[in-house]
Amino acid sequence: MKLDRHRQRIRPRHRFATAQWAVDEKETIVVELEHDGVVGLGEVVPSTLYGQSLESSEAALDAMIPLLGDDPFAIQHIITCLIEQFDGQRAAIAGVDAALHDWAGKRLGIPVWKLLGLDRPRKQTTFTIGVAELDEIRVKLEEALAAGFDALKVKVGVEHDHEVLSVIREAFDGPLLLDANQAWEPREAARRIKELVRFRPAMIEQPLRKEDWRAMAELRGLALVPIFADESCERPADVVRLHGYVDGINIKFTKCGGIREALLMVTIARALDMQVMLGCFVCSSLAIAPALEIATLVDLADLDGHLLLADDPFDGITRSGGVIELGDQPGLGISPRA
Ligand SMILES: [Mg+2]
């Protein structure tokens, strides 16, 4: 197996910000895995929140090459080996995991969802409105509604949350997910949540710092709105740890390492009667497709990373209103835009 990599530059249409960070422009890494004349593609989307950078991901990818072997169909074996050695660099593992699935699908002439025994991916995604001043919120909201999105996710955890949510609820009556991105102290969070329920949120994501996960049980106990863990839930074992403390988990491939580990997290969560959401970072379609392949298994999808871009370098995911889908093309169904 031959593995090449190169960086790609992507730019959101608007500055994208949360209570913690902002993105005007970023780079991700495209992985090309070649074997027997077939090329599988994947995207690495590192996040400093999880100790990952472009450099650490590139170093991990280079060190993975001797471990890949010569059978790209041995996906589970390869991913298990990579996790043993590169547990802290799961964004890089997710890129390889995607490229292996893409390769296997292309080699067999079938889409990845079919390879996995799943239904054709067709899923409503929320569209995320980041932290911004009110004027910009109005512009983003108008754009989102004009584009047909019918479920929104709003970043909260700043002083003017109430003004922002009032503006949104004046124009939008549909499902509204709130993400606090670790903004609050445990005592403050209960008060904030009580104040925010009047905006009828469908759920609140990560109200507390990731290490304060135990205190999420009290917020859940208020029974006002389902509480989901995002930053507190990275890997499969975290799902077990969080059982009883939150209503649901947000799985992201950057955190867990791709399709294999995500399937394990879904299985654990279902066995524990927890809700499941799939999330993402700002990225191109190439990183959204692997998550979309398994999206029919989850309750909520927030797979809008590519929809936030000014120019997506890849094609293949179609959208009508708030629903994104993949077709019957072999592999991940994604190709570089001409
Ligand atoms: Mg989140």
Side-chain angles (χ1 to χ4, degrees):
M1 252 183 276
K2 197 166 159 270
L3 190 133
D4 280 328
R5 56 169 173 84
H6 64 268
R7 291 188 185 185
Q8 72 175 2
R9 188 172 292 276
I10 52 177
R11 196 167 46 83
R13 251 191 325 276
H14 300 284
R15 158 175 269 231
F16 185 75
T18 72
Q20 283 181 325
W21 46 263
V23 181
D24 290 307
E25 191 179 63
K26 75 189 274 190
E27 285 181 304
T28 62
I29 303 163
V30 176
V31 173
E32 291 183 29
L33 186 142
E34 193 273 330
H35 183 75
D36 209 9
V38 176
V39 177
L41 298 177
E43 183 176 359
V44 179
V45 188
S47 166
T48 51
L49 280 173
Y50 305 102
Q52 307 157 345
S53 64
L54 290 163
E55 293 74 17
S56 71
S57 300
E58 286 165 343
L61 288 170
D62 292 348
M64 287 174 192
I65 293 171
L67 304 174
L68 296 176
D70 59 3
D71 181 9
F73 282 117
I75 303 176
Q76 186 62 58
H77 174 77
I78 295 168
I79 296 303
T80 303
C81 291
L82 296 183
I83 284 169
E84 274 170 26
Q85 303 224 17
F86 303 97
D87 186 49
Q89 296 300 321
R90 290 192 177 219
I93 295 174
V96 174
D97 172 275
L100 286 166
H101 283 90
D102 190 37
W103 186 94
K106 284 174 174 166
R107 189 78 173 81
L108 296 170
I110 57 170
V112 168
W113 53 268
K114 215 169 246 188
L115 188 70
L116 299 170
L118 301 175
D119 293 333
R120 189 169 75 81
R122 192 173 184 285
K123 192 76 181 171
Q124 182 188 48
T125 179
T126 53
F127 184 79
T128 306
I129 296 184
V131 168
E133 293 306 317
L134 280 183
D135 285 347
E136 203 183 342
I137 294 280
R138 285 194 185 88
V139 172
K140 288 177 171 186
L141 176 65
E142 218 166 273
E143 279 183 15
L145 298 180
F149 289 103
D150 46 12
L152 297 177
K153 176 164 147 176
V154 176
K155 298 289 190 182
V156 295
V158 292
E159 275 314 307
H160 62 296
D161 284 344
H162 277 250
E163 287 92 326
V164 169
L165 293 170
S166 298
V167 164
I168 288 170
R169 272 307 189 204
E170 271 166 36
F172 176 72
D173 199 38
L176 181 62
L177 282 57
L178 303 182
D179 189 354
N181 287 102
Q182 318 187 67
W184 300 316
E185 298 294 326
R187 267 176 310 173
E188 182 193 11
R191 180 173 58 82
R192 297 275 186 173
I193 289 170
K194 284 175 194 163
E195 290 168 0
L196 292 178
V197 275
R198 71 182 174 97
F199 297 104
R200 293 171 283 117
M203 54 87 92
I204 293 189
E205 206 180 309
Q206 197 69 38
L208 308 177
R209 282 192 309 259
K210 71 177 182 183
E211 58 274 21
D212 291 337
W213 57 272
R214 283 187 187 82
M216 288 204 273
E218 287 159 45
L219 304 178
R220 186 183 181 218
L222 297 172
L224 293 172
V225 57
I227 305 290
F228 275 57
D230 178 3
E231 286 86 344
S232 295
C233 186
E234 298 177 33
R235 298 161 168 79
D238 297 325
V239 186
V240 180
R241 174 173 54 82
L242 287 160
H243 178 232
Y245 292 87
V246 294
D247 297 284
I249 54 157
N250 185 347
I251 298 174
K252 290 177 182 163
F253 284 23
T254 284
K255 298 186 291 184
C256 74
I259 290 174
R260 293 286 142 176
E261 290 288 281
L263 288 174
L264 187 51
M265 293 175 81
V266 172
T267 305
I268 295 169
R270 290 306 184 208
L272 296 172
D273 206 17
M274 294 163 80
Q275 294 183 60
V276 183
M277 166 177 186
L278 269 171
C280 64
F281 290 87
V282 175
C283 62
S284 78
S285 285
L286 180 57
I288 295 296
L292 185 52
E293 300 286 350
I294 66 163
T296 52
L297 296 175
V298 306
D299 303 296
L300 297 167
D302 176 33
L303 296 176
D304 62 350
H306 63 306
L307 300 170
L308 300 167
L309 299 185
D311 283 299
D312 187 347
F314 289 89
D315 266 329
I317 299 173
T318 53
R319 177 176 75 83
S320 56
V323 175
I324 52 173
E325 42 191 312
L326 284 165
D328 285 312
Q329 299 92 335
L332 293 172
I334 294 296
S335 47
R337 196 162 269 184

